[in-house]
Amino acid sequence: DLYGRGVVETGAASGFSARAIHGLESVTLRLADDVAVIHAGFTDDLVEHLGVDRHRIREIRNWTHVDPPDPAASKAFRNKHRWSADEVIILHAGNMGYKQGLENVIAAAELAVRDARRARFVLLGDGNQRASLEAAGAGIRTLEFLAPVSEEEFVAALGAADVLLVNERPGVAQMAVPSKLTSYFRSGRPILAATDSAGFTAGELAASGAGICVPADRPDLLLNEALRLGTDSALATQLGEAGRRYSDQLLSEEVALDRYERWIIDLADMRNADFGCRRKRWSK
C-alpha cells in the first residue's frame, strides 16, 4: 500500500500529518537500493510524487495462496448455510475496514428486500468496522455475516458463491490493490467491483477480463449487476475462466518467485560491480 496516498484517500489524515507521512515514505523509498511494487500502477506514483528513480523500481506481483475450489466442498458449504438454489449469493470475503465502505453493501441488501429480489449479500471475515456494520444491517434478511473460516473453508466459500464482491469507499482508487483479488481470480467465479473507475481495482478487472465494475456509491447498480452476473450462467462462466487464466499466467507462485530470484541476483550483481569500481579507485 502507498500510505501517504492512503491517508488522503481514506481521510485518515490531512494537513501537516499527511505531509509528514508522505515525506517519510518518500525518504525511505529513495534511500533503498531498489523498490518492488505489486502493481505497475504504483510505479508512476513513486516516480512522480515520491521521487524514486524509475530504473530502481521492479514490479513483482503477489501470488495467490489458494487452490481452485472443490465443487463438492463448495456444495456442502452452501448447504450448511442453507443458501437456496434460487437466490444469488454475493460474497465479500476479507477485511471489514473503513477502506471497504461496506455501508454500500448494506444499502444494496435493503434494496433487495424492498424490491423482493432473490439476492443474499454475505460478508465473510472481520475488521474494525464489523460491529457497526452488523448493527446497521440488523434485521435485513438479505444480509448475512459470517465469522472468519479456515483456509480450506475459505476456498469452499468462494466456490459456493455466485458472485464475488470487491467494495471500496468512494475516493479510494490508487492507494492499494485488494489482496482478495488473487484468491477471487483463482476461484473461477465472476467478480463484481463497486469502485472508482480510474482505480487499480477497475484496472485489474479490465486487464483480467474477470469481472465488471459499478460506481462505488450506487447500491442500486450493485444489486442489479450482481443479479445479472448471478443469473447469466454463460457470462459468469466466461468471466470466471478469464480470471483463472489471468491467475495462471501472472499470479502464480512460480512466476513471482522467479521474479524475486532475478531481482536478488540483479541487486547482488549491482553491489559487486559497485564494489569492484571502488577497489579500482582505491588501487590508484
Side-chain angles (χ1 to χ4, degrees):
D1 294 356
L2 296 177
Y3 294 100
R5 178 178 285 276
V7 297
V8 173
E9 290 190 358
T10 62
S14 61
F16 174 78
S17 296
R19 291 193 298 272
I21 293 170
H22 176 275
L24 178 60
E25 188 171 41
S26 174
V27 169
T28 301
L29 294 173
R30 285 187 285 111
L31 288 175
D33 291 320
D34 252 31
V35 179
V37 297
I38 63 168
H39 190 274
F42 288 134
T43 299
D44 289 341
D45 205 283
L46 263 62
V47 172
E48 295 170 11
H49 300 116
L50 296 173
V52 181
D53 185 344
R54 186 178 295 273
H55 296 98
R56 293 195 296 106
I57 303 173
R58 189 81 56 107
E59 180 191 357
I60 306 177
R61 303 298 298 267
N62 285 341
W63 66 85
T64 181
H65 66 285
V66 302
D67 294 320
D70 172 64
S74 292
K75 182 178 180 180
F77 189 94
R78 188 163 180 137
N79 291 338
K80 173 183 175 182
H81 294 280
R82 299 180 180 179
W83 298 340
S84 65
D86 66 341
E87 64 180 343
V88 174
I89 304 300
I90 306 106
L91 176 68
H92 181 281
N95 187 44
M96 300 183 201
Y98 183 79
K99 182 176 81 72
Q100 283 71 38
L102 293 170
E103 299 83 3
N104 185 55
V105 178
I106 293 175
E110 288 180 310
L111 288 176
V113 173
R114 188 194 70 184
D115 298 339
R117 313 291 290 275
R118 295 293 292 170
R120 181 188 296 265
F121 290 89
V122 180
L123 302 181
L124 167 63
D126 207 348
N128 59 24
Q129 298 296 304
R130 174 165 174 154
S132 62
L133 291 167
E134 286 184 300
I140 302 176
R141 65 177 183 273
T142 56
L143 179 67
E144 182 175 353
F145 287 84
L146 294 181
V149 296
S150 66
E151 184 169 314
E152 182 179 347
E153 279 199 300
F154 176 76
V155 175
L158 297 182
D162 298 298
V163 179
L164 299 178
L165 175 63
V166 178
N167 195 92
E168 295 182 312
R169 186 171 296 279
V172 171
Q174 298 181 353
M175 60 170 284
V177 179
S179 59
K180 61 172 58 68
L181 279 177
T182 59
S183 300
Y184 280 11
F185 289 140
R186 191 69 168 158
S187 73
R189 288 289 185 264
I191 302 170
L192 174 60
T195 188
D196 190 308
S197 61
F200 292 157
T201 298
E204 275 293 275
L205 289 191
S208 66
I212 59 177
C213 294
V214 296
D217 55 353
R218 289 291 303 273
D220 56 330
L221 296 182
L222 172 58
L223 175 60
N224 289 339
E225 289 302 293
L227 287 168
R228 182 170 75 92
L229 284 180
T231 55
D232 188 336
S233 58
L235 176 59
T237 298
Q238 174 191 327
L239 298 176
E241 290 177 350
R244 280 193 176 167
R245 286 195 299 271
Y246 189 72
S247 175
D248 291 340
Q249 294 167 5
L250 191 63
L251 305 176
S252 72
E253 181 177 0
E254 181 180 2
V255 170
L257 292 180
D258 283 348
R259 290 185 177 183
Y260 271 114
E261 182 180 25
R262 182 70 261 167
W263 186 40
I264 293 169
I265 290 171
D266 289 345
L267 282 170
D269 288 345
M270 179 180 68
R271 280 296 182 91
N272 289 336
D274 183 56
F275 181 70
C277 289
R278 288 200 302 268
R279 288 191 62 182
K280 288 181 179 178
R281 288 198 301 269
W282 295 336
S283 64
K284 294 179 181 180

